[in-house]
Amino acid sequence: IFYRWLLDDSKVEIFPCGNSADVKQVISKQGLWGQVSSDIILTGAIDSDFRSEEELTGVANDHVVRLPLHEAESYLCLPEILAAAADKIGSQENPITAGEVENRVFKELQRQRLSIALKRSFSGSSITVRISLEKSVLASVTSKEEAMGHIRDKSAEEVSKAVEAMDEGAFEERLDQELAEIDRTIQEKDINTALKLLPGKELLNRLAPRAGCKNGTDLMRSVKRNLNLESFPVAKELADAIKASIAQQVGPVDAAEQRH
């Protein structure tokens, strides 16, 4: 519903296909996706979740757009969108205001401060160890035993790197940085960064009843029916980024398919 509201294009099909790795696999047309017609344009959208800017840079590319906020539901928690939706619904005696939304967002961010900082620190501390041998070594080995000797040496070297990366002091430094970023966000009342750090699904379901909706899905339906995307710059910026990604790939075709 959210992406239908963003794109408002009958030629675009939207459906979920898994996590960010699954999205990238689809976009690169790996496996069965290689059978997709060349007349169909594939563009992906991925949530930021708890990943750092560095991690997200490694995931996103020309045909995979990452959401600047935590996830799709986070956009419905933008004060201007939620307050406008509540005003249109008009079922509450005292509809929620943008100021009240902001206060509740920052209060929730403060409540989840340590949990969020830890999750973001853990996300940046995942280690992938890959073992390979240089071409010169591969060309020179003459027996399995000799090859296994080189592999043992390489394995020890990679494990040493992983241990160093997982050093307790390095993790604590990362955690301190995440806590400081959350504290700065709260102090400066930076709502966009708050909604990047704070998970959106649970937050939206907490806020939706104050707008006169049962849950976040009902609120999204109301937003799609009643609100003009052009009035909300943060959401429009995401819509423009996805449309631009599609447009980059459009040739003499009249079909486009958006993957999330």
Side-chain angles (χ1 to χ4, degrees):
I1 302 169
F2 173 68
Y3 287 100
R4 285 286 181 201
W5 180 59
L6 286 188
L7 300 176
D8 191 27
D9 186 342
S10 62
K11 293 181 180 179
V12 178
E13 292 296 334
I14 303 160
F15 57 92
C17 64
N19 60 29
S20 58
D22 296 326
V23 172
K24 290 189 71 174
Q25 185 177 47
V26 171
I27 301 309
S28 60
K29 295 188 177 181
Q30 297 177 21
L32 291 174
W33 294 102
Q35 306 303 313
V36 173
S37 168
S38 59
D39 288 343
I40 294 178
I41 303 301
L42 300 176
T43 286
I46 60 172
D47 297 334
S48 285
D49 293 325
F50 293 102
R51 289 172 289 201
S52 67
E53 289 298 318
E54 293 77 15
E55 292 173 89
L56 290 166
T57 299
V59 175
N61 58 41
D62 289 343
H63 307 318
V64 177
V65 177
R66 64 99 166 175
L67 276 61
L69 303 188
H70 194 92
E71 52 198 329
E73 290 83 356
S74 303
Y75 283 81
L76 277 295
C77 299
L78 285 162
E80 61 271 26
I81 292 181
L82 195 61
D87 187 58
K88 284 287 186 181
I89 294 167
S91 64
Q92 302 296 295
E93 185 175 349
N94 297 303
I96 193 168
T97 64
E100 182 184 341
V101 177
E102 279 201 19
N103 289 337
R104 295 186 66 166
V105 167
F106 290 119
K107 182 178 179 180
E108 192 63 22
L109 181 58
Q110 180 66 57
R111 186 181 74 83
Q112 296 188 43
R113 174 179 178 270
L114 181 57
S115 173
I116 290 170
L118 283 168
K119 288 175 182 177
R120 290 180 62 82
S121 298
F122 288 140
S123 175
S125 300
S126 59
I127 302 297
T128 300
V129 176
R130 294 185 176 88
I131 305 298
S132 63
L133 297 178
E134 292 80 4
K135 289 183 180 179
S136 58
V137 174
L138 290 171
S140 64
V141 294
T142 57
S143 68
K144 184 184 79 171
E145 290 72 21
E146 186 181 357
M148 287 307 300
H150 284 293
I151 290 171
R152 289 188 195 97
D153 292 342
K154 189 68 174 178
S155 296
E157 179 185 336
E158 292 301 313
V159 169
S160 177
K161 291 178 183 178
V163 169
E164 182 179 351
M166 286 299 294
D167 175 73
E168 180 182 328
F171 182 85
E172 185 174 4
E173 182 179 351
R174 172 73 183 267
L175 179 59
D176 286 340
Q177 291 173 352
E178 295 295 345
L179 288 168
E181 174 68 2
I182 293 172
D183 291 341
R184 181 202 64 78
T185 299
I186 294 172
Q187 182 179 5
E188 297 180 2
K189 301 296 183 184
D190 183 346
I191 191 67
N192 287 351
T193 300
L195 291 173
K196 173 188 173 185
L197 298 170
L198 191 61
K201 289 183 177 67
E202 180 184 351
L203 178 65
L204 180 59
N205 282 327
R206 289 186 177 200
L207 291 171
R210 280 291 290 117
C213 293
K214 180 179 177 182
N215 53 41
T217 301
D218 286 346
L219 180 62
M220 186 64 251
R221 290 194 180 100
S222 179
V223 167
K224 185 176 183 297
R225 283 195 306 269
N226 298 310
L227 299 187
N228 183 351
L229 175 71
E230 299 292 325
S231 301
F232 307 102
V234 177
K236 185 177 185 303
E237 184 178 347
L238 175 60
D240 290 344
I242 295 173
K243 291 175 182 178
S245 179
I246 294 173
Q248 288 174 4
Q249 306 174 69
V250 172
V253 297
D254 58 3
E257 185 168 0
Q258 148 69 18
R259 313 296 296 227
H260 169 55

